[in-house]
């Protein structure tokens, strides 16, 4: 029986270890993908530490997958072996719940996330539902495409569905794994783009990413600095700090929206007085469907948006994971398989 290598965690909080597993076969409506690259996302730590419910162990996580179709199961149409594909946080939907019946697939009650619902991309091959597939443009490498399945689609999709229009002032809070993509997408979508981060040392990097303005959050009130620029139509909160998010609300113009992407269990501090008279709002946004991922990849290919990445081979998955947790990597860590 053919085998593949996978980085596996045997118990909650355990280390990633390379194991040999049987090559999985696709069932009805499924495809097998040979993994070329897989992003190491901070959300993976929630699976490894069993923060989410019903996480199965032993566990192979990873939901920022890029590779090629290797085999098709029965009743799969529109896809062919050898085709370049990505699979992100959206790893398939049930098709029968209320959300799916309304066409709102990202809110499927039984949405499948790779590395949670089934073995994920820290592996040389994965089997996924065909509904999870997104086409990768030829101009993007697998390493560039992989983070777009989660970090990329989350930032692009939230901005294009926001109330902001070309020429509006849009601020991106944070310049990390999400934020550095958010600044690029905001610029390419035609927004007057503000980057907000800690310290003056990030200003040049923000400008290279496409920011028209930079706000050092340690050098005065963020809200006043946003209002001095005219007030933000949207603040895209990518930093995982509720306290930092709270400081931006008074920087929104009337009708402005704080879009929450960064995860923090602490509450955002906002008074009704900050919202009522100005019609401001605080809005959460999930990632996006497989079609949204495909459209994100297409837009990135057209406009030159690229993730900043650091790569490690699959055999060094534990070291890559620990480096991601340490915060030493400002942007995206990606595992490669050499396939």
């Amino acid at each position: 029986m053919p085998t593949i290598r996978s980085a596996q965690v045997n118990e909650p909080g355990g280390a990633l270890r390379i194991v040999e597993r049987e090559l999985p076969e696709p069932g009805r409506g499924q495809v097998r993908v040979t993994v070329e690259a897989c992003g190491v996302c901070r959300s993976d730590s929630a699976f490894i530490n069993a923060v989410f419910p019903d996480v199965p162990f032993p566990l192979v996580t990873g939901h920022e997958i890029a590779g090629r179709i290797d085999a098709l199961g029965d009743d799969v149409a529109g896809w062919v072996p050898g085709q370049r594909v990505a699979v992100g946080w959206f790893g398939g939907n049930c098709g029968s719940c209320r959300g799916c019946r309304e066409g709102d697939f990202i809110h499927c009650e039984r949405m499948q996330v790779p590395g949670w619902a089934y073995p994920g991309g820290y592996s040389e091959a994965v089997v996924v539902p065909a509904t999870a597939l997104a086409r990768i443009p030829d101009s993007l490498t697998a390493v560039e495409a992989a983070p777009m399945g989660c970090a990329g689609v989350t930032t692009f999709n939230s901005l294009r569905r926001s109330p902001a229009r070309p020429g509006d002032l849009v601020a991106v809070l944070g310049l990390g794994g999400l934020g550095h993509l958010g600044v690029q997408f905001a610029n390419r979508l035609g927004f007057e783009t503000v980057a907000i981060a800690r310290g003056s040392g990030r200003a040049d990097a923000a400008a290279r990413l496409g920011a028209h303005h930079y706000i050092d959050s340690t050098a005065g009130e963020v809200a006043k600095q946003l209002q001095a620029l005219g007030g933000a139509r949207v603040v895209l909160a990518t930093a995982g700090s509720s306290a930092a998010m709270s400081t931006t609300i008074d920087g929104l113009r009337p009708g402005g929206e704080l879009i929450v992407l960064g995860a923090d269990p602490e509450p955002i501090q906002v008074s009704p007085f900050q919202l009522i008279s100005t019609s401001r709002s605080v809005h959460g946004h999930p990632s996006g469907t497989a079609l949204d991922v495909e459209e994100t990849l297409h837009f990135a290919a057209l406009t030159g948006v690229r993730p900043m990445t650091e790569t490690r081979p699959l055999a060094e998955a534990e070291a890559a994971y620990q480096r991601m947790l340490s915060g030493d990597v400002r942007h995206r860590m990606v595992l490669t398989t050499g396939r």
Side-chain angles (χ1 to χ4, degrees):
M1 185 75 179
T3 62
I4 55 171
R5 295 181 306 148
S6 300
Q8 180 175 287
V9 177
N10 291 328
E11 66 283 323
L16 289 156
R17 303 186 187 282
I18 302 300
V19 299
E20 293 280 337
R21 300 168 56 241
E22 288 188 2
L23 179 68
E25 292 296 330
R28 185 179 301 276
Q30 297 179 326
V31 301
R32 186 172 66 216
V33 176
T34 298
V35 178
E36 296 175 349
C38 184
V40 181
C41 182
R42 184 160 290 274
S43 299
D44 292 334
S45 65
F47 299 122
I48 289 173
N49 292 295
V51 174
F52 291 131
D54 303 319
V55 176
F57 289 89
L59 173 73
V60 178
T61 191
H63 58 267
E64 293 184 342
I65 303 165
R68 295 179 184 271
I69 294 175
D70 178 47
L72 306 176
D74 292 337
D75 298 333
V76 173
W79 304 95
V80 295
Q83 197 166 4
R84 301 182 69 222
V85 292
V87 181
W89 179 267
F90 179 87
N93 60 292
C94 74
S96 59
C97 71
R98 184 182 182 91
C100 287
R101 292 174 67 193
E102 292 176 343
D104 186 13
F105 303 130
I106 195 62
H107 292 119
C108 170
E109 295 173 8
R110 292 174 287 278
M111 194 182 80
Q112 297 174 282
V113 178
W116 187 5
Y118 51 80
Y122 289 14
S123 185
E124 292 179 325
V126 294
V127 166
V128 304
T131 56
L133 299 175
R135 295 169 179 84
I136 299 176
D138 290 341
S139 60
L140 294 178
T141 67
V143 169
E144 293 169 337
M148 294 298 187
C150 182
V153 70
T154 300
T155 50
F156 175 67
N157 216 26
S158 58
L159 285 170
R160 69 170 176 166
R161 298 181 188 277
S162 79
R165 296 296 177 263
D168 283 348
L169 191 76
V170 170
V172 179
L173 176 64
L175 275 178
L178 289 170
H180 87 288
L181 288 167
V183 168
Q184 293 180 72
F185 281 126
N187 173 283
R188 305 310 196 277
L189 286 165
F191 304 137
E192 184 178 355
T193 304
V194 184
I196 307 171
R198 293 179 59 83
S200 60
R202 309 298 303 282
D204 288 344
R208 288 194 296 271
L209 291 167
H212 302 99
H213 312 279
Y214 179 77
I215 292 177
D216 174 4
S217 62
T218 66
E221 295 182 35
V222 170
K224 286 185 177 180
Q225 294 181 73
L226 285 173
Q227 288 297 346
L229 294 170
R233 187 70 180 90
V234 162
V235 171
L236 189 71
T238 69
S241 168
S242 295
M245 296 179 202
S246 301
T247 67
T248 69
I249 293 171
D250 284 337
L252 294 167
R253 79 182 203 192
E257 185 172 275
L258 171 64
I259 302 178
V260 179
L261 304 183
D264 185 353
E266 296 301 315
I268 297 170
Q269 299 296 320
V270 56
S271 161
F273 289 104
Q274 293 175 277
L275 304 179
I276 294 171
S277 63
T278 58
S279 300
R280 296 169 179 148
S281 62
V282 179
H283 176 69
H285 191 90
S287 57
T289 66
L291 180 59
D292 292 324
V293 173
E294 189 167 306
E295 290 173 347
T296 300
L297 290 164
H298 180 66
F299 185 86
L302 284 176
T303 60
V305 173
R306 297 292 187 274
M308 298 175 70
T309 60
E310 179 179 327
T311 62
R312 293 284 185 92
L314 179 64
E316 298 178 19
E318 175 63 16
Y321 173 72
Q322 292 299 331
R323 183 161 170 75
M324 179 275 296
L325 289 179
S326 73
D328 290 340
V329 179
R330 280 287 183 183
H331 301 109
R332 307 303 292 184
M333 178 66 71
V334 179
L335 297 174
T336 58
T337 65
R339 302 296 288 263

